[in-house]
Amino acid sequence: MPKTIICSVGTSASKKLGIHPKHLNNWVKERKPIDDAANIMFNSFCKFKPNEENIAAHLSAEIHSLFRIGIDNSDRVFLFTSETEDGYCCGLAVQKYLEHYWPEIEVTTEYINGLQVENAQKFRNQGVVEYIKKATEAIENYGNVILNPTGGYKALVPYTVLLGMIKGVECKYIFEQSTSLIGLPALPVEFKQSQFEAYKELFEKIDRDSSISKKEWENCVPYQARLLLEPLIEQSGNEITLSGVGFLFLDEMRKPSALVPFLSRQAIDDCFDNVAQLDDCDPFRFLQRVSTSQEAFQQAEHINVGNGLRWLKPGRTTDRYLVSIEGWRLLVWRVIREDEKGKKYANKVKVDPEGDRRQYLPFMRMEYLNQ
Amino acid sequence: MPKTIICSVGTSASKKLGIHPKHLNNWVKERKPIDDAANIMFNSFCKFKPNEENIAAHLSAEIHSLFRIGIDNSDRVFLFTSETEDGYCCGLAVQKYLEHYWPEIEVTTEYINGLQVENAQKFRNQGVVEYIKKATEAIENYGNVILNPTGGYKALVPYTVLLGMIKGVECKYIFEQSTSLIGLPALPVEFKQSQFEAYKELFEKIDRDSSISKKEWENCVPYQARLLLEPLIEQSGNEITLSGVGFLFLDEMRKPSALVPFLSRQAIDDCFDNVAQLDDCDPFRFLQRVSTSQEAFQQAEHINVGNGLRWLKPGRTTDRYLVSIEGWRLLVWRVIREDEKGKKYANKVKVDPEGDRRQYLPFMRMEYLNQ
């Protein structure tokens, strides 16, 4: 399966030019247009083929790590550079190299506004946010994504790691002077969606309008909640904007990478007192599986009731699940047995999700201790 | 309140010596004992007082960031260095500097076995694990901890970030060439304890015996679960050891930084149908608070029933909670109203946590949708 690799890019592609990092930006500026500078840079290392011998000694951190990741012609690479001209030039030079040795590979070099090291506030308010936006977009559009923070600023690494955790994407990077790849697999952590739900509308508004006033923030968010929400915003003067983390969390609420199953009180009784007692029937594993895999959900879909509710059928077993999707939640309204209700169970067990809602509340998160 | 700052340490303390990083290790070895080398190094920068003018230009990354964090004489600093002699020497030199300018400060320099850049497997199997062990120990023993990954290997940053997230501790670091501190506050993420619980005993065993055989691992963990657990182990040859992440998760299960409330089916009815209906009574907020704060829990403790069960009392309201702590869970068995059950409610509402357990199962995680 083709891979998509998201790389942050530093300036190590310039190393064969023998220019002090301090002077690199001027060197690039003196060689406009930037593509000319990138060509000169590319020519300084293009003769070094991507092989064991050359990879660490003569080639850039990005090329080194991409080689270790095992890229091939069917892959796609995003090179995200700083907003500085030397950073962008290095990205273009890396792109030329990749296209030279893997002619079919799809490479995109983009500079990230605000990604620079002179102004920390701009880095956080703009650079990190834009980096996370571009990276989540790539994660959403393509499967089999790998995050590669080998190149680029150390200050960006924490955000890459967080991105990988929340989106369930693996990080791979090269270990400093070493030549081995370190992998940080998609870790089993999740962010506490429930705690933010009350403020989702407000975050949507900040995202839409780019910022809100500090006064509005304080009016909408009670004092006790502000500490909790602090990581999700940036404050500059009287303006509140979304932080990179805030954008990531909002994005995950809008387009969750996995659903979380919640059982109505009726469904709790249905599951524990009835269906789970059957041999060869594990309602919880089934609900977990359809929550984490869209494919499994689609396969299980049996009857679309039409009012947002669907009956799911696991396979040849007799258990049936009446569910709906609300945001990041999979609501489970009823769980029944076809052998009890009969083949026309969908006509017999009817739920009006609006009118009957009250009697199904609360939906409890499907996480339990049962021994 | 005194702070405890955990710093990873690199080699930037050597910069005033004017030695190429490649030759630093030899330079240190030629000046044994190591404390002599550290004194020479310290003398190369001790005249630069910790102030705005000197801090970025003349002093090491660790001193720079500690200055920005605002250390004072009442604080405690852990300097964790690589296992290399040059790394350790730099740590000692930084310690001398801190003790010189903040004579009352408590500084400990420790080298971390396996923390080096020549051997990636050793870095992961030993270096990262020991770093996480030492850091979690410090987090456990002292309050008000800040993680500071400004110095040291970039490859360690992901683990520092993860540590901060799981333990609810803030990271602060200096932005490359900039002079501003970046803070990554304790983020609202959690790891999925439930998924690991079934394997806790096995992880305990690996930790106790340092490793188990690959065969035992495969016997104990079904194929489908191995992918999920992969981040928690390291494999070398036929040996399975705990990864840094594995140790961190095991530690968090043993000594959770916060409890997670779970309601019995009876308590779900008690809460939603009765207590939550009262004015000025929010059972969920109360249970959340006592779960996340030991102090709040102790304050609320009203009657210790003696069999592991305790009645909690929020304050002047009439709601009472019969709870027990099992590992990382706060089990809520009953929620009652004193105005209904009378002052002697503890004698009236009796639960035998062993004999009656079945009728209270399942305990559902207290996370719900109620509208």
PDB file of all heavy atoms in Angstrom, chain B residues 247-279:
ATOM      1  N   PHE B 247       6.511   0.932  30.478  1.00  0.00           N
ATOM      2  CA  PHE B 247       6.752   1.200  31.886  1.00  0.00           C
ATOM      3  C   PHE B 247       5.857   2.336  32.384  1.00  0.00           C
ATOM      4  O   PHE B 247       5.268   2.273  33.463  1.00  0.00           O
ATOM      5  CB  PHE B 247       8.221   1.540  32.149  1.00  0.00           C
ATOM      6  CG  PHE B 247       8.421   1.930  33.576  1.00  0.00           C
ATOM      7  CD1 PHE B 247       8.497   0.961  34.563  1.00  0.00           C
ATOM      8  CD2 PHE B 247       8.438   3.267  33.951  1.00  0.00           C
ATOM      9  CE1 PHE B 247       8.611   1.307  35.898  1.00  0.00           C
ATOM     10  CE2 PHE B 247       8.543   3.625  35.279  1.00  0.00           C
ATOM     11  CZ  PHE B 247       8.634   2.641  36.256  1.00  0.00           C
ATOM     12  N   LEU B 248       5.757   3.378  31.563  1.00  0.00           N
ATOM     13  CA  LEU B 248       4.944   4.536  31.945  1.00  0.00           C
ATOM     14  C   LEU B 248       3.485   4.138  32.164  1.00  0.00           C
ATOM     15  O   LEU B 248       2.841   4.559  33.134  1.00  0.00           O
ATOM     16  CB  LEU B 248       5.064   5.592  30.836  1.00  0.00           C
ATOM     17  CG  LEU B 248       4.298   6.885  30.988  1.00  0.00           C
ATOM     18  CD1 LEU B 248       4.738   7.626  32.237  1.00  0.00           C
ATOM     19  CD2 LEU B 248       4.508   7.770  29.769  1.00  0.00           C
ATOM     20  N   PHE B 249       2.953   3.313  31.260  1.00  0.00           N
ATOM     21  CA  PHE B 249       1.557   2.906  31.373  1.00  0.00           C
ATOM     22  C   PHE B 249       1.356   1.986  32.579  1.00  0.00           C
ATOM     23  O   PHE B 249       0.361   2.098  33.298  1.00  0.00           O
ATOM     24  CB  PHE B 249       1.104   2.208  30.082  1.00  0.00           C
ATOM     25  CG  PHE B 249       0.798   3.177  28.964  1.00  0.00           C
ATOM     26  CD1 PHE B 249       1.274   4.477  28.993  1.00  0.00           C
ATOM     27  CD2 PHE B 249       0.026   2.792  27.885  1.00  0.00           C
ATOM     28  CE1 PHE B 249       0.988   5.361  27.964  1.00  0.00           C
ATOM     29  CE2 PHE B 249      -0.267   3.673  26.848  1.00  0.00           C
ATOM     30  CZ  PHE B 249       0.221   4.954  26.894  1.00  0.00           C
ATOM     31  N   LEU B 250       2.301   1.093  32.799  1.00  0.00           N
ATOM     32  CA  LEU B 250       2.201   0.202  33.956  1.00  0.00           C
ATOM     33  C   LEU B 250       2.231   1.009  35.247  1.00  0.00           C
ATOM     34  O   LEU B 250       1.430   0.787  36.166  1.00  0.00           O
ATOM     35  CB  LEU B 250       3.357  -0.810  33.921  1.00  0.00           C
ATOM     36  CG  LEU B 250       3.440  -1.779  35.108  1.00  0.00           C
ATOM     37  CD1 LEU B 250       2.180  -2.634  35.203  1.00  0.00           C
ATOM     38  CD2 LEU B 250       4.672  -2.679  34.995  1.00  0.00           C
ATOM     39  N   ASP B 251       3.141   1.973  35.282  1.00  0.00           N
ATOM     40  CA  ASP B 251       3.252   2.832  36.460  1.00  0.00           C
ATOM     41  C   ASP B 251       1.953   3.589  36.714  1.00  0.00           C
ATOM     42  O   ASP B 251       1.514   3.742  37.850  1.00  0.00           O
ATOM     43  CB  ASP B 251       4.405   3.823  36.234  1.00  0.00           C
ATOM     44  CG  ASP B 251       4.627   4.717  37.432  1.00  0.00           C
ATOM     45  OD1 ASP B 251       5.218   4.237  38.417  1.00  0.00           O
ATOM     46  OD2 ASP B 251       4.182   5.878  37.399  1.00  0.00           O
ATOM     47  N   GLU B 252       1.344   4.048  35.632  1.00  0.00           N
ATOM     48  CA  GLU B 252       0.107   4.813  35.761  1.00  0.00           C
ATOM     49  C   GLU B 252      -1.043   3.913  36.224  1.00  0.00           C
ATOM     50  O   GLU B 252      -1.965   4.369  36.900  1.00  0.00           O
ATOM     51  CB  GLU B 252      -0.211   5.500  34.431  1.00  0.00           C
ATOM     52  CG  GLU B 252      -1.406   6.421  34.419  1.00  0.00           C
ATOM     53  CD  GLU B 252      -1.322   7.589  35.385  1.00  0.00           C
ATOM     54  OE1 GLU B 252      -0.228   7.917  35.878  1.00  0.00           O
ATOM     55  OE2 GLU B 252      -2.391   8.165  35.681  1.00  0.00           O
ATOM     56  N   MET B 253      -0.992   2.627  35.882  1.00  0.00           N
ATOM     57  CA  MET B 253      -2.027   1.721  36.380  1.00  0.00           C
ATOM     58  C   MET B 253      -1.803   1.406  37.860  1.00  0.00           C
ATOM     59  O   MET B 253      -2.742   1.261  38.618  1.00  0.00           O
ATOM     60  CB  MET B 253      -2.045   0.439  35.553  1.00  0.00           C
ATOM     61  CG  MET B 253      -2.893   0.610  34.308  1.00  0.00           C
ATOM     62  SD  MET B 253      -3.524  -0.946  33.646  1.00  0.00           S
ATOM     63  CE  MET B 253      -2.114  -1.483  32.713  1.00  0.00           C
ATOM     64  N   ARG B 254      -0.528   1.305  38.232  1.00  0.00           N
ATOM     65  CA  ARG B 254      -0.218   1.019  39.635  1.00  0.00           C
ATOM     66  C   ARG B 254      -0.513   2.202  40.535  1.00  0.00           C
ATOM     67  O   ARG B 254      -1.039   2.068  41.623  1.00  0.00           O
ATOM     68  CB  ARG B 254       1.276   0.725  39.771  1.00  0.00           C
ATOM     69  CG  ARG B 254       1.711  -0.625  39.312  1.00  0.00           C
ATOM     70  CD  ARG B 254       3.230  -0.637  39.492  1.00  0.00           C
ATOM     71  NE  ARG B 254       3.842  -1.846  39.004  1.00  0.00           N
ATOM     72  CZ  ARG B 254       5.118  -1.907  38.597  1.00  0.00           C
ATOM     73  NH1 ARG B 254       5.872  -0.814  38.607  1.00  0.00           N
ATOM     74  NH2 ARG B 254       5.620  -3.041  38.190  1.00  0.00           N
ATOM     75  N   LYS B 255      -0.083   3.365  40.087  1.00  0.00           N
ATOM     76  CA  LYS B 255      -0.229   4.559  40.926  1.00  0.00           C
ATOM     77  C   LYS B 255      -0.892   5.656  40.107  1.00  0.00           C
ATOM     78  O   LYS B 255      -0.238   6.598  39.670  1.00  0.00           O
ATOM     79  CB  LYS B 255       1.153   5.039  41.404  1.00  0.00           C
ATOM     80  CG  LYS B 255       1.886   4.041  42.275  1.00  0.00           C
ATOM     81  CD  LYS B 255       3.361   4.390  42.402  1.00  0.00           C
ATOM     82  CE  LYS B 255       4.097   4.055  41.113  1.00  0.00           C
ATOM     83  NZ  LYS B 255       5.552   4.256  41.151  1.00  0.00           N
ATOM     84  N   PRO B 256      -2.180   5.505  39.860  1.00  0.00           N
ATOM     85  CA  PRO B 256      -2.845   6.442  38.950  1.00  0.00           C
ATOM     86  C   PRO B 256      -2.762   7.882  39.446  1.00  0.00           C
ATOM     87  O   PRO B 256      -2.908   8.139  40.644  1.00  0.00           O
ATOM     88  CB  PRO B 256      -4.297   5.954  38.942  1.00  0.00           C
ATOM     89  CG  PRO B 256      -4.456   5.118  40.159  1.00  0.00           C
ATOM     90  CD  PRO B 256      -3.108   4.546  40.459  1.00  0.00           C
ATOM     91  N   SER B 257      -2.504   8.827  38.517  1.00  0.00           N
ATOM     92  CA  SER B 257      -2.479  10.232  38.934  1.00  0.00           C
ATOM     93  C   SER B 257      -3.896  10.722  39.199  1.00  0.00           C
ATOM     94  O   SER B 257      -4.085  11.701  39.905  1.00  0.00           O
ATOM     95  CB  SER B 257      -1.770  11.125  37.914  1.00  0.00           C
ATOM     96  OG  SER B 257      -1.442  10.468  36.748  1.00  0.00           O
ATOM     97  N   ALA B 258      -4.893  10.051  38.630  1.00  0.00           N
ATOM     98  CA  ALA B 258      -6.281  10.401  38.942  1.00  0.00           C
ATOM     99  C   ALA B 258      -7.105   9.125  38.878  1.00  0.00           C
ATOM    100  O   ALA B 258      -6.792   8.211  38.120  1.00  0.00           O
ATOM    101  CB  ALA B 258      -6.817  11.425  37.941  1.00  0.00           C
ATOM    102  N   LEU B 259      -8.147   9.043  39.684  1.00  0.00           N
ATOM    103  CA  LEU B 259      -9.066   7.910  39.609  1.00  0.00           C
ATOM    104  C   LEU B 259     -10.114   8.191  38.538  1.00  0.00           C
ATOM    105  O   LEU B 259     -10.357   9.344  38.182  1.00  0.00           O
ATOM    106  CB  LEU B 259      -9.759   7.709  40.955  1.00  0.00           C
ATOM    107  CG  LEU B 259      -8.850   7.366  42.146  1.00  0.00           C
ATOM    108  CD1 LEU B 259      -9.642   7.430  43.452  1.00  0.00           C
ATOM    109  CD2 LEU B 259      -8.230   5.987  41.969  1.00  0.00           C
ATOM    110  N   VAL B 260     -10.708   7.131  38.039  1.00  0.00           N
ATOM    111  CA  VAL B 260     -11.807   7.292  37.087  1.00  0.00           C
ATOM    112  C   VAL B 260     -13.061   6.717  37.747  1.00  0.00           C
ATOM    113  O   VAL B 260     -13.077   5.556  38.143  1.00  0.00           O
ATOM    114  CB  VAL B 260     -11.503   6.547  35.768  1.00  0.00           C
ATOM    115  CG1 VAL B 260     -12.652   6.727  34.785  1.00  0.00           C
ATOM    116  CG2 VAL B 260     -10.196   7.030  35.166  1.00  0.00           C
ATOM    117  N   PRO B 261     -14.099   7.541  37.897  1.00  0.00           N
ATOM    118  CA  PRO B 261     -15.303   7.041  38.561  1.00  0.00           C
ATOM    119  C   PRO B 261     -16.118   6.093  37.672  1.00  0.00           C
ATOM    120  O   PRO B 261     -16.293   6.347  36.484  1.00  0.00           O
ATOM    121  CB  PRO B 261     -16.103   8.311  38.874  1.00  0.00           C
ATOM    122  CG  PRO B 261     -15.481   9.417  38.117  1.00  0.00           C
ATOM    123  CD  PRO B 261     -14.169   8.973  37.575  1.00  0.00           C
ATOM    124  N   PHE B 262     -16.589   5.019  38.276  1.00  0.00           N
ATOM    125  CA  PHE B 262     -17.459   4.036  37.624  1.00  0.00           C
ATOM    126  C   PHE B 262     -18.692   3.858  38.503  1.00  0.00           C
ATOM    127  O   PHE B 262     -18.569   3.684  39.715  1.00  0.00           O
ATOM    128  CB  PHE B 262     -16.739   2.688  37.485  1.00  0.00           C
ATOM    129  CG  PHE B 262     -15.808   2.599  36.307  1.00  0.00           C
ATOM    130  CD1 PHE B 262     -14.620   3.314  36.273  1.00  0.00           C
ATOM    131  CD2 PHE B 262     -16.119   1.789  35.216  1.00  0.00           C
ATOM    132  CE1 PHE B 262     -13.762   3.229  35.179  1.00  0.00           C
ATOM    133  CE2 PHE B 262     -15.268   1.698  34.119  1.00  0.00           C
ATOM    134  CZ  PHE B 262     -14.092   2.417  34.097  1.00  0.00           C
ATOM    135  N   LEU B 263     -19.878   3.891  37.891  1.00  0.00           N
ATOM    136  CA  LEU B 263     -21.129   3.793  38.638  1.00  0.00           C
ATOM    137  C   LEU B 263     -21.743   2.405  38.493  1.00  0.00           C
ATOM    138  O   LEU B 263     -21.828   1.873  37.377  1.00  0.00           O
ATOM    139  CB  LEU B 263     -22.147   4.814  38.103  1.00  0.00           C
ATOM    140  CG  LEU B 263     -21.727   6.283  38.025  1.00  0.00           C
ATOM    141  CD1 LEU B 263     -22.833   7.104  37.350  1.00  0.00           C
ATOM    142  CD2 LEU B 263     -21.438   6.840  39.408  1.00  0.00           C
ATOM    143  N   SER B 264     -22.183   1.835  39.609  1.00  0.00           N
ATOM    144  CA  SER B 264     -22.949   0.591  39.525  1.00  0.00           C
ATOM    145  C   SER B 264     -24.275   0.901  38.835  1.00  0.00           C
ATOM    146  O   SER B 264     -24.692   2.060  38.767  1.00  0.00           O
ATOM    147  CB  SER B 264     -23.211   0.040  40.923  1.00  0.00           C
ATOM    148  OG  SER B 264     -24.175   0.830  41.583  1.00  0.00           O
ATOM    149  N   ARG B 265     -24.965  -0.157  38.383  1.00  0.00           N
ATOM    150  CA  ARG B 265     -26.247   0.114  37.730  1.00  0.00           C
ATOM    151  C   ARG B 265     -27.196   0.784  38.710  1.00  0.00           C
ATOM    152  O   ARG B 265     -27.943   1.683  38.360  1.00  0.00           O
ATOM    153  CB  ARG B 265     -26.847  -1.176  37.184  1.00  0.00           C
ATOM    154  CG  ARG B 265     -26.596  -1.250  35.686  1.00  0.00           C
ATOM    155  CD  ARG B 265     -27.515  -2.220  35.025  1.00  0.00           C
ATOM    156  NE  ARG B 265     -26.995  -3.580  35.148  1.00  0.00           N
ATOM    157  CZ  ARG B 265     -27.575  -4.620  34.532  1.00  0.00           C
ATOM    158  NH1 ARG B 265     -28.654  -4.443  33.792  1.00  0.00           N
ATOM    159  NH2 ARG B 265     -27.067  -5.829  34.662  1.00  0.00           N
ATOM    160  N   GLN B 266     -27.126   0.336  39.959  1.00  0.00           N
ATOM    161  CA  GLN B 266     -27.953   0.952  41.004  1.00  0.00           C
ATOM    162  C   GLN B 266     -27.587   2.434  41.168  1.00  0.00           C
ATOM    163  O   GLN B 266     -28.463   3.294  41.277  1.00  0.00           O
ATOM    164  CB  GLN B 266     -27.723   0.202  42.321  1.00  0.00           C
ATOM    165  CG  GLN B 266     -28.394   0.805  43.540  1.00  0.00           C
ATOM    166  CD  GLN B 266     -29.900   0.673  43.498  1.00  0.00           C
ATOM    167  OE1 GLN B 266     -30.434  -0.420  43.350  1.00  0.00           O
ATOM    168  NE2 GLN B 266     -30.608   1.797  43.622  1.00  0.00           N
ATOM    169  N   ALA B 267     -26.286   2.729  41.157  1.00  0.00           N
ATOM    170  CA  ALA B 267     -25.852   4.121  41.336  1.00  0.00           C
ATOM    171  C   ALA B 267     -26.247   4.983  40.143  1.00  0.00           C
ATOM    172  O   ALA B 267     -26.499   6.183  40.286  1.00  0.00           O
ATOM    173  CB  ALA B 267     -24.345   4.172  41.577  1.00  0.00           C
ATOM    174  N   ILE B 268     -26.303   4.381  38.933  1.00  0.00           N
ATOM    175  CA  ILE B 268     -26.776   5.138  37.765  1.00  0.00           C
ATOM    176  C   ILE B 268     -28.216   5.582  38.017  1.00  0.00           C
ATOM    177  O   ILE B 268     -28.562   6.761  37.839  1.00  0.00           O
ATOM    178  CB  ILE B 268     -26.693   4.282  36.475  1.00  0.00           C
ATOM    179  CG1 ILE B 268     -25.228   4.014  36.118  1.00  0.00           C
ATOM    180  CG2 ILE B 268     -27.400   4.981  35.310  1.00  0.00           C
ATOM    181  CD1 ILE B 268     -25.040   3.065  34.932  1.00  0.00           C
ATOM    182  N   ASP B 269     -29.059   4.635  38.478  1.00  0.00           N
ATOM    183  CA  ASP B 269     -30.446   4.985  38.788  1.00  0.00           C
ATOM    184  C   ASP B 269     -30.492   6.025  39.908  1.00  0.00           C
ATOM    185  O   ASP B 269     -31.192   7.037  39.810  1.00  0.00           O
ATOM    186  CB  ASP B 269     -31.228   3.739  39.225  1.00  0.00           C
ATOM    187  CG  ASP B 269     -31.368   2.729  38.071  1.00  0.00           C
ATOM    188  OD1 ASP B 269     -31.138   3.123  36.913  1.00  0.00           O
ATOM    189  OD2 ASP B 269     -31.688   1.561  38.346  1.00  0.00           O
ATOM    190  N   ASP B 270     -29.723   5.765  40.973  1.00  0.00           N
ATOM    191  CA  ASP B 270     -29.685   6.705  42.108  1.00  0.00           C
ATOM    192  C   ASP B 270     -29.367   8.125  41.643  1.00  0.00           C
ATOM    193  O   ASP B 270     -30.005   9.094  42.045  1.00  0.00           O
ATOM    194  CB  ASP B 270     -28.583   6.299  43.110  1.00  0.00           C
ATOM    195  CG  ASP B 270     -28.904   5.006  43.869  1.00  0.00           C
ATOM    196  OD1 ASP B 270     -30.084   4.589  43.884  1.00  0.00           O
ATOM    197  OD2 ASP B 270     -27.958   4.418  44.443  1.00  0.00           O
ATOM    198  N   CYS B 271     -28.350   8.226  40.786  1.00  0.00           N
ATOM    199  CA  CYS B 271     -27.896   9.555  40.373  1.00  0.00           C
ATOM    200  C   CYS B 271     -28.895  10.228  39.452  1.00  0.00           C
ATOM    201  O   CYS B 271     -29.342  11.343  39.699  1.00  0.00           O
ATOM    202  CB  CYS B 271     -26.559   9.455  39.637  1.00  0.00           C
ATOM    203  SG  CYS B 271     -25.167   9.293  40.735  1.00  0.00           S
ATOM    204  N   PHE B 272     -29.215   9.552  38.343  1.00  0.00           N
ATOM    205  CA  PHE B 272     -29.992  10.231  37.312  1.00  0.00           C
ATOM    206  C   PHE B 272     -31.450  10.416  37.720  1.00  0.00           C
ATOM    207  O   PHE B 272     -32.061  11.425  37.385  1.00  0.00           O
ATOM    208  CB  PHE B 272     -29.890   9.488  35.983  1.00  0.00           C
ATOM    209  CG  PHE B 272     -28.561   9.654  35.327  1.00  0.00           C
ATOM    210  CD1 PHE B 272     -27.567   8.712  35.482  1.00  0.00           C
ATOM    211  CD2 PHE B 272     -28.298  10.791  34.565  1.00  0.00           C
ATOM    212  CE1 PHE B 272     -26.326   8.873  34.879  1.00  0.00           C
ATOM    213  CE2 PHE B 272     -27.066  10.965  33.959  1.00  0.00           C
ATOM    214  CZ  PHE B 272     -26.071  10.005  34.123  1.00  0.00           C
ATOM    215  N   ASP B 273     -32.020   9.436  38.427  1.00  0.00           N
ATOM    216  CA  ASP B 273     -33.450   9.501  38.721  1.00  0.00           C
ATOM    217  C   ASP B 273     -33.747  10.242  40.012  1.00  0.00           C
ATOM    218  O   ASP B 273     -34.869  10.656  40.241  1.00  0.00           O
ATOM    219  CB  ASP B 273     -34.029   8.078  38.824  1.00  0.00           C
ATOM    220  CG  ASP B 273     -33.875   7.326  37.509  1.00  0.00           C
ATOM    221  OD1 ASP B 273     -33.722   8.003  36.475  1.00  0.00           O
ATOM    222  OD2 ASP B 273     -33.888   6.084  37.529  1.00  0.00           O
ATOM    223  N   ASN B 274     -32.731  10.377  40.858  1.00  0.00           N
ATOM    224  CA  ASN B 274     -33.013  10.981  42.152  1.00  0.00           C
ATOM    225  C   ASN B 274     -32.104  12.186  42.441  1.00  0.00           C
ATOM    226  O   ASN B 274     -32.520  13.333  42.267  1.00  0.00           O
ATOM    227  CB  ASN B 274     -32.885   9.908  43.249  1.00  0.00           C
ATOM    228  CG  ASN B 274     -33.404  10.377  44.593  1.00  0.00           C
ATOM    229  OD1 ASN B 274     -33.711  11.552  44.770  1.00  0.00           O
ATOM    230  ND2 ASN B 274     -33.507   9.472  45.546  1.00  0.00           N
ATOM    231  N   VAL B 275     -30.862  11.905  42.785  1.00  0.00           N
ATOM    232  CA  VAL B 275     -30.007  12.969  43.314  1.00  0.00           C
ATOM    233  C   VAL B 275     -29.781  14.126  42.337  1.00  0.00           C
ATOM    234  O   VAL B 275     -29.825  15.301  42.717  1.00  0.00           O
ATOM    235  CB  VAL B 275     -28.674  12.362  43.803  1.00  0.00           C
ATOM    236  CG1 VAL B 275     -27.723  13.456  44.242  1.00  0.00           C
ATOM    237  CG2 VAL B 275     -28.925  11.402  44.954  1.00  0.00           C
ATOM    238  N   ALA B 276     -29.550  13.789  41.054  1.00  0.00           N
ATOM    239  CA  ALA B 276     -29.257  14.853  40.084  1.00  0.00           C
ATOM    240  C   ALA B 276     -30.449  15.766  39.858  1.00  0.00           C
ATOM    241  O   ALA B 276     -30.312  16.866  39.320  1.00  0.00           O
ATOM    242  CB  ALA B 276     -28.800  14.244  38.758  1.00  0.00           C
ATOM    243  N   GLN B 277     -31.634  15.299  40.254  1.00  0.00           N
ATOM    244  CA  GLN B 277     -32.840  16.119  40.084  1.00  0.00           C
ATOM    245  C   GLN B 277     -32.918  17.241  41.117  1.00  0.00           C
ATOM    246  O   GLN B 277     -33.670  18.197  40.952  1.00  0.00           O
ATOM    247  CB  GLN B 277     -34.103  15.242  40.244  1.00  0.00           C
ATOM    248  CG  GLN B 277     -34.104  13.977  39.407  1.00  0.00           C
ATOM    249  CD  GLN B 277     -34.384  14.251  37.941  1.00  0.00           C
ATOM    250  OE1 GLN B 277     -34.939  15.285  37.606  1.00  0.00           O
ATOM    251  NE2 GLN B 277     -33.978  13.347  37.082  1.00  0.00           N
ATOM    252  N   LEU B 278     -32.182  17.085  42.206  1.00  0.00           N
ATOM    253  CA  LEU B 278     -32.234  18.086  43.268  1.00  0.00           C
ATOM    254  C   LEU B 278     -31.587  19.391  42.823  1.00  0.00           C
ATOM    255  O   LEU B 278     -30.640  19.386  42.038  1.00  0.00           O
ATOM    256  CB  LEU B 278     -31.473  17.575  44.506  1.00  0.00           C
ATOM    257  CG  LEU B 278     -32.017  16.325  45.201  1.00  0.00           C
ATOM    258  CD1 LEU B 278     -31.058  15.889  46.295  1.00  0.00           C
ATOM    259  CD2 LEU B 278     -33.392  16.632  45.794  1.00  0.00           C
ATOM    260  N   ASP B 279     -32.089  20.484  43.367  1.00  0.00           N
ATOM    261  CA  ASP B 279     -31.427  21.766  43.119  1.00  0.00           C
ATOM    262  C   ASP B 279     -30.059  21.748  43.801  1.00  0.00           C
ATOM    263  O   ASP B 279     -29.878  21.125  44.843  1.00  0.00           O
ATOM    264  CB  ASP B 279     -32.260  22.905  43.722  1.00  0.00           C
ATOM    265  CG  ASP B 279     -33.546  23.102  42.945  1.00  0.00           C
ATOM    266  OD1 ASP B 279     -33.627  22.601  41.810  1.00  0.00           O
ATOM    267  OD2 ASP B 279     -34.472  23.725  43.508  1.00  0.00           O
TER     268      ASP B 279
END
